Amino acid sequence: MCIQHCVHPCLTFHVAVYVSPTRMPLLKELLMDTLQPIGKGTRGKIKDLRQWVMQDKIICLPKRVQPSQNHSSISNVSQAVASTTPLPPPKPSPSNPVTVEMKGLKTDLDLQQYSFINQMCYERALHWYAKYFPYLVLIHTLVFMLCSNFWFKFPGSSSKIEHFISILGKCFDSPWTTRALSEVSGEDSEEKDNRKNNMSRSNTTQSGPEGSLVNSQSLKSIPEKFVVDKSTAGALDKKEGEQAKALFEKVKKFRLHVEEGDILYAMYVRQTVLKVIKFLIIIAYNSALVSKVQFTVDCDVDIQDMTGYKNFSCNHTMAHLFSKLSFCYLCFVSIYGLTCLYTLYWLFYRSLKEYSFEYVRQETGIDDIPDVKNDFAFMLHMIDQYDPLYSKRFAVFLSEVSENKLKQLNLNNEWTPDKLRQKLQTNAHNRLELPLIMLSGLPDTVFEITELQSLKLEIIKNVMIPATIAQLDNLQELSLHQCSVKIHSAALSFLKENLKVLSVKFDDMRELPPWMYGLRNLEELYLVGSLSHDISRNVTLESLRDLKSLKILSIKSNVSKIPQAVVDVSSHLQKMCLHNDGTKLVMLNNLKKMTNLTELELVHCDLERIPHAVFSLLSLQELDLKENNLKSIEEIVSFQHLRKLTVLKLWHNSITYIPEHIKKLTSLERLSFSHNKIEVLPSHLFLCNKIRYLDLSYNDIRFIPPEIGVLQSLQYFSITCNKVESLPDELYFCKKLKTLKIGKNSLSVLSPKIGNLLFLSYLDVKGNHFEILPPELGDCRALKRAGLVVEDALFETLPSDVREQMKTE
């Protein structure tokens, strides 16, 4: 059966199809429905048929053939219903009066053959661009997406970007940012905002957004988007301060890491170049191939043995839509490509690997914001394209000045005046001292403790002494140990008038405060640190001649000769201490100029003999030659000219004997020969009958001469760590003796005459061979258990009443 034409009042369509026996029921049902008013079921079937037709990518029909050919193969040739002229319907036969057969060009092709023809022509005749246009658009879109988002996924770049965005947001929202920007502003915040907004509008009017982008090396006009409330700007609690401190550390580490490379910049440039190349390729081949999308396509396929036809005319159902979409696609790609070209121009026209905060420094007054480079600079340029205000607020955390202000605020919150007062103590000079060690700075609350007399700062970097130090009316002493100190001019004026003692411990000469040379009322100066090993350069100290009141100068260093700066104050210097680190001290002739010197210490100076220049110091009262390399002291006879010399310390040397002419030093009151190699004590030593302090410990002495009894003024006597086997009874004639140290010797008996030492308060007998202690120790009423150094077992040999007496305070 052949259905050629079906007409319904509401539906007209052409169908050219060979109906197989299996499809007869469906078509019969469809024909019956068409003779009836269209109902719900009929609409559904027509919709299914229409979808079946529209879902085909291409619809092909055999071409019309010549009449001679049609006459020879009339049963095998078919034409498309759309291209044939309907024939008048045949007259109904008597056998089937109801059926009306629609006439048309017969092809004798069934639905399956048409599907085969459509598929063959789709693959053979249709141009590849028309077939794969949707897939090309999808692939291009994926490539563009990959180029734009790859650096957000690559570990080497994504981690930097994510970390930067995280830090940037925290810096923008930090309360410290608002406070820092408001503190450096010298005008009202509202007026400043208005001024900056006006600047922004004027810049926009003059150059436009692109002009300002190209011409500026960093952010230009940055209007603040809020008004800082001065009443709340100063309020920063401890938690917020700690968070801001952590942000400074993060920014430092992030900058150190990111400025080392330019992976972000290089990757962004590469992906932009790739997008531009991709854009040019798309525009080129799409423009050339868009004309290949045609509505009608001729198809010649050799399938006559299967269909009986070779030439077909095909309709590409999506051609019209693809043609319009391709033009729209080219427009969109062109816009995107122009954006990429502008981005490429922006990348190469500007130096994006350098970023200057010059405008921020001028606007905020924070002069130490450093310029940055490489990836750090590139990210800041990128963030400027979103909102330059971010870079401005981020710059606060690059400033050391801002960081120091934050540290100062946190320091003040941590060290309250009450907490500082708990650290007050009395130092060796009997002054009320406040020691501050390893702090991040100097708390401003220090200057509220007006009773402070001595301030000791140790291992504190970037100390700034403000003018408020003038509040410390009682301050007389300042100690700076490994501190880099800056001072306000008003504070310097105060210290010039009030400071009496200055102690500076340094690792480098540059740490010496230059303002110390102008402290005209300074009386004591203590310097500890490395000065110079090179004898040709001497010591690079500046002149001390302005220190008119200087009386005590102590230098603990590694000098090879007395600094020339010391000579400038030699006329009024009373005490000089020179402690070397073992560097040999030579050229001591400058000592002769120190005519008023009363105390001299030359410690660890590698001296082999007593310097002759010392014998010219007629006012000298104390001489300390500790830790040198003295082996012979024959020159000691020259000390007889020093009539005022009362203290002589020759300890920690290599002296093997004491010359007899030591007896001429009749003015000596304190004499120390400890830590030497002396074996024999000359009896002439005890002719110095004014000696009150005699230390002979840590030698090789075996015998104590009985002449020791001549020292009636002796109060301190020590022979600890020697080889003495017995003590002369004459020792106990020294009734003023208060301290007796005879421990670590070879003594076996302690004489009962020790009870004659009524003032004895300290006795060390530990480390000998005693079996019993004399009960006469009970006569030493000043001796208590704490002052008796002895083995516990030996202490128990004393009578119980003596032990109880000693235990009683």
Side-chain angles (χ1 to χ4, degrees):
M1 179 179 179
C2 180
I3 301 175
Q4 294 178 340
H5 194 80
C6 298
V7 181
H8 188 273
C10 298
L11 175 65
T12 301
F13 63 95
H14 297 272
V15 178
V17 57
Y18 173 77
V19 181
S20 62
T22 58
R23 301 186 181 182
M24 284 295 295
L26 175 62
L27 292 178
K28 284 182 179 180
E29 183 181 357
L30 180 60
L31 287 173
M32 293 299 293
D33 288 339
T34 59
L35 300 177
Q36 309 255 344
I38 296 178
K40 182 176 181 181
T42 305
R43 291 192 184 96
K45 293 179 177 63
I46 295 175
K47 183 178 181 181
D48 292 339
L49 183 60
R50 186 179 299 166
Q51 289 178 350
W52 172 70
V53 174
M54 293 301 295
Q55 285 177 356
D56 281 350
K57 299 178 181 178
I58 190 171
I59 300 176
C60 298
L61 294 175
K63 283 187 177 180
R64 181 187 297 274
V65 297
Q66 298 298 328
S68 59
Q69 295 175 347
N70 188 38
H71 185 269
S72 62
S73 57
I74 191 169
S75 62
N76 296 325
V77 178
S78 91
Q79 286 289 356
V81 175
S83 63
T84 60
T85 304
L87 298 178
K91 296 179 181 180
S93 60
S95 61
N96 190 9
V98 179
T99 303
V100 179
E101 183 178 1
M102 304 302 293
K103 297 292 184 175
L105 184 61
K106 296 182 179 180
T107 61
D108 294 334
L109 296 177
D110 63 6
L111 183 61
Q112 189 172 6
Q113 288 175 311
Y114 275 107
S115 297
F116 178 75
I117 294 169
N118 293 344
Q119 189 65 29
M120 287 294 294
C121 289
Y122 180 81
E123 296 295 336
R124 300 286 182 86
L126 194 63
H127 194 272
W128 65 268
Y129 180 77
K131 288 190 293 185
Y132 303 121
F133 174 74
Y135 304 103
L136 292 175
V137 173
L138 177 61
I139 292 173
H140 296 159
T141 303
L142 292 176
V143 172
F144 282 130
M145 290 177 61
L146 180 63
C147 292
S148 299
N149 295 280
F150 179 73
W151 70 330
F152 294 119
K153 303 300 181 183
F154 185 69
S157 56
S158 64
S159 59
K160 292 182 179 180
I161 295 173
E162 291 175 1
H163 197 187
F164 176 71
I165 293 175
S166 173
I167 294 177
L168 190 68
K170 293 178 180 178
C171 292
F172 187 88
D173 297 331
S174 174
W176 172 250
T177 312
T178 304
R179 169 164 179 155
L181 292 175
S182 63
E183 281 187 350
V184 297
S185 175
E187 54 188 328
D188 185 72
S189 56
E190 292 186 7
E191 295 177 358
K192 187 173 182 179
D193 288 338
N194 294 333
R195 180 178 59 84
K196 289 186 287 186
N197 288 332
N198 293 333
M199 289 178 58
S200 176
R201 286 192 293 270
S202 62
N203 290 339
T204 303
T205 304
Q206 293 175 3
S207 58
E210 293 186 3
S212 72
L213 174 66
V214 172
N215 296 328
S216 64
Q217 289 298 319
S218 63
L219 78 160
K220 284 295 182 185
S221 183
I222 312 171
E224 287 279 7
K225 298 183 177 180
F226 54 89
V227 177
V228 178
D229 186 0
K230 291 187 175 181
S231 61
T232 60
L236 194 70
D237 59 27
K238 184 177 181 181
K239 181 179 179 181
E240 292 172 338
E242 292 298 326
Q243 290 174 347
K245 181 179 178 182
L247 274 178
F248 273 104
E249 295 298 325
K250 285 184 179 180
V251 171
K252 278 184 181 179
K253 293 179 180 179
F254 181 76
R255 177 190 174 193
L256 182 65
H257 174 66
V258 175
E259 272 195 315
E260 294 177 354
D262 58 353
I263 182 174
L264 290 178
Y265 176 79
M267 188 172 293
Y268 190 78
V269 170
R270 292 190 185 104
Q271 70 184 25
T272 304
V273 171
L274 184 59
K275 287 189 288 186
V276 170
I277 295 174
K278 183 69 175 175
F279 151 71
L280 296 176
I281 293 174
I282 292 174
I283 293 298
Y285 88 80
N286 274 272
S287 300
L289 298 178
V290 69
S291 61
K292 299 298 182 180
V293 182
Q294 299 176 350
F295 184 76
T296 302
V297 180
D298 292 331
C299 176
D300 298 329
V301 289
D302 191 9
I303 54 174
Q304 288 178 330
D305 55 343
M306 300 177 64
T307 63
Y309 297 95
K310 180 180 180 181
N311 302 319
F312 301 91
S313 180
C314 302
N315 174 23
H316 185 198
T317 58
M318 303 297 290
H320 181 74
L321 178 62
F322 283 0
S323 178
K324 302 303 180 184
L325 287 178
S326 62
F327 284 108
C328 292
Y329 177 64
L330 286 176
C331 293
F332 289 135
V333 171
S334 299
I335 295 173
Y336 183 78
L338 292 176
T339 304
C340 294
L341 287 173
Y342 171 74
T343 303
L344 199 62
Y345 166 78
W346 179 67
L347 284 171
F348 291 107
Y349 177 76
R350 300 186 61 187
S351 178
L352 300 183
K353 296 176 69 175
E354 296 178 358
Y355 190 92
S356 174
F357 287 99
E358 181 63 28
Y359 184 81
V360 180
R361 290 194 287 264
Q362 293 176 0
E363 184 180 18
T364 63
I366 306 177
D367 297 329
D368 68 325
I369 301 176
D371 294 336
V372 296
K373 58 183 181 179
N374 289 334
D375 279 345
F376 200 10
F378 176 66
M379 285 189 288
L380 289 170
H381 280 292
M382 293 292 286
I383 206 64
D384 278 352
Q385 306 310 304
Y386 174 71
D387 189 349
L389 183 60
Y390 277 89
S391 297
K392 175 185 176 181
R393 296 177 71 85
F394 183 76
V396 172
F397 290 88
L398 293 172
S399 167
E400 290 188 6
V401 172
S402 176
E403 184 179 9
N404 291 336
K405 288 182 179 179
L406 175 64
K407 289 179 179 179
Q408 190 67 39
L409 182 64
N410 291 338
L411 201 63
N412 295 340
N413 292 336
E414 179 181 1
W415 293 95
T416 61
D418 293 337
K419 185 176 180 180
L420 290 174
R421 283 189 173 90
Q422 295 175 2
K423 294 178 65 66
L424 291 176
Q425 60 187 28
T426 303
N427 63 6
H429 297 89
N430 199 28
R431 293 190 177 101
L432 195 61
E433 183 177 78
L434 175 62
L436 299 176
I437 303 174
M438 298 183 68
L439 299 184
S440 58
L442 180 62
D444 294 331
T445 50
V446 169
F447 309 112
E448 298 179 21
I449 308 176
T450 55
E451 66 271 23
L452 188 64
Q453 295 176 310
S454 174
L455 179 59
K456 182 178 181 181
L457 308 178
E458 186 170 353
I459 315 179
I460 302 178
K461 300 299 181 181
N462 300 320
V463 176
M464 177 64 188
I465 300 180
T468 51
I469 195 175
Q471 299 175 9
L472 305 179
D473 297 331
N474 298 315
L475 184 67
Q476 297 180 359
E477 184 175 347
L478 179 62
S479 298
L480 306 174
H481 292 184
Q482 295 180 345
C483 297
S484 54
V485 180
K486 296 181 180 179
I487 189 169
H488 193 274
S489 57
L492 180 59
S493 300
F494 170 79
L495 293 178
K496 284 181 179 181
E497 298 296 331
N498 295 272
L499 199 63
K500 303 295 182 183
V501 181
L502 175 63
S503 175
V504 182
K505 185 177 181 180
F506 55 93
D507 292 327
D508 192 286
M509 277 288 297
R510 289 171 293 185
E511 294 181 11
L512 279 174
W515 45 265
M516 75 176 186
Y517 302 104
L519 302 176
R520 54 178 175 267
N521 288 330
L522 192 68
E523 296 179 357
E524 301 179 24
L525 177 60
Y526 301 88
L527 302 178
V528 181
S530 177
L531 291 175
S532 175
H533 286 284
D534 191 352
I535 188 173
S536 62
R537 294 183 180 179
N538 198 2
V539 181
T540 54
L541 284 175
E542 296 184 22
S543 176
L544 302 176
R545 63 169 55 93
D546 291 335
L547 307 183
K548 302 296 184 180
S549 301
L550 191 65
K551 298 178 180 178
I552 299 176
L553 175 61
S554 175
I555 301 176
K556 188 175 182 180
S557 184
N558 53 351
V559 296
S560 57
K561 63 180 182 180
I562 296 177
Q564 182 61 34
V566 177
V567 180
D568 296 335
V569 292
S570 59
S571 59
H572 49 82
L573 202 62
Q574 297 180 4
K575 178 179 179 179
M576 190 183 77
C577 305
L578 195 56
H579 292 225
N580 264 2
D581 62 353
T583 303
K584 189 176 182 62
L585 185 64
V586 297
M587 300 175 64
L588 296 173
N589 292 333
N590 287 336
L591 283 176
K592 296 180 180 179
K593 300 179 180 180
M594 303 180 186
T595 54
N596 293 321
L597 205 63
T598 60
E599 298 182 34
L600 176 62
E601 296 181 9
L602 301 176
V603 178
H604 206 188
C605 297
D606 195 26
L607 299 176
E608 297 179 357
R609 307 184 71 87
I610 300 175
H612 289 282
V614 175
F615 306 134
S616 301
L617 305 177
L618 301 180
S619 300
L620 194 64
Q621 299 177 9
E622 299 183 17
L623 176 62
D624 188 350
L625 299 177
K626 180 183 178 182
E627 294 181 350
N628 283 283
N629 195 23
L630 299 176
K631 297 179 180 179
S632 173
I633 54 173
E634 291 293 338
E635 303 88 349
I636 202 172
V637 66
S638 299
F639 282 137
Q640 62 181 320
H641 303 296
L642 307 181
R643 303 296 183 183
K644 298 180 180 180
L645 185 65
T646 58
V647 179
L648 179 60
K649 297 181 180 180
L650 301 174
W651 49 339
H652 294 270
N653 281 281
S654 301
I655 301 173
T656 56
Y657 73 98
I658 302 175
E660 293 185 359
H661 41 257
I662 194 174
K663 63 183 178 181
K664 297 182 180 181
L665 307 182
T666 56
S667 60
L668 283 181
E669 296 180 3
R670 296 171 61 91
L671 180 62
S672 177
F673 279 106
S674 66
H675 295 84
N676 278 282
K677 300 178 181 179
I678 300 172
E679 297 181 358
V680 178
L681 288 179
S683 57
H684 300 82
L685 171 64
F686 305 106
L687 296 178
C688 303
N689 53 14
K690 292 184 179 180
I691 292 180
R692 295 183 292 106
Y693 180 102
L694 181 59
D695 189 355
L696 301 172
S697 58
Y698 294 91
N699 280 281
D700 297 324
I701 302 172
R702 296 178 179 273
F703 176 72
I704 304 297
E707 287 79 3
I708 192 173
V710 177
L711 304 180
Q712 291 298 306
S713 300
L714 191 63
Q715 298 179 11
Y716 179 101
F717 181 59
S718 174
I719 55 171
T720 303
C721 289
N722 278 278
K723 301 176 182 178
V724 179
E725 297 179 354
S726 63
L727 294 175
D729 291 341
E730 288 78 4
L731 175 63
Y732 307 110
F733 295 163
C734 304
K735 296 184 178 181
K736 294 183 179 180
L737 201 60
K738 295 180 180 180
T739 301
L740 178 60
K741 297 182 179 180
I742 56 176
K744 297 181 182 180
N745 278 279
S746 300
L747 299 172
S748 57
V749 177
L750 185 60
S751 174
K753 294 183 179 180
I754 196 172
N756 295 333
L757 306 178
L758 300 179
F759 298 101
L760 188 66
S761 60
Y762 187 90
L763 175 62
D764 181 5
V765 296
K766 192 174 183 178
N768 285 284
H769 307 304
F770 297 132
E771 296 181 356
I772 189 173
L773 292 177
E776 285 77 7
L777 279 176
D779 296 334
C780 303
R781 298 295 182 180
L783 185 63
K784 301 299 179 181
R785 181 65 183 94
L788 177 59
V789 181
V790 65
E791 293 85 352
D792 292 337
L794 193 58
F795 179 72
E796 296 298 327
T797 62
L798 289 172
S800 59
D801 58 333
V802 175
R803 295 199 304 269
E804 291 298 329
Q805 173 188 326
M806 289 187 175
K807 291 179 181 180
T808 304
E809 294 296 334

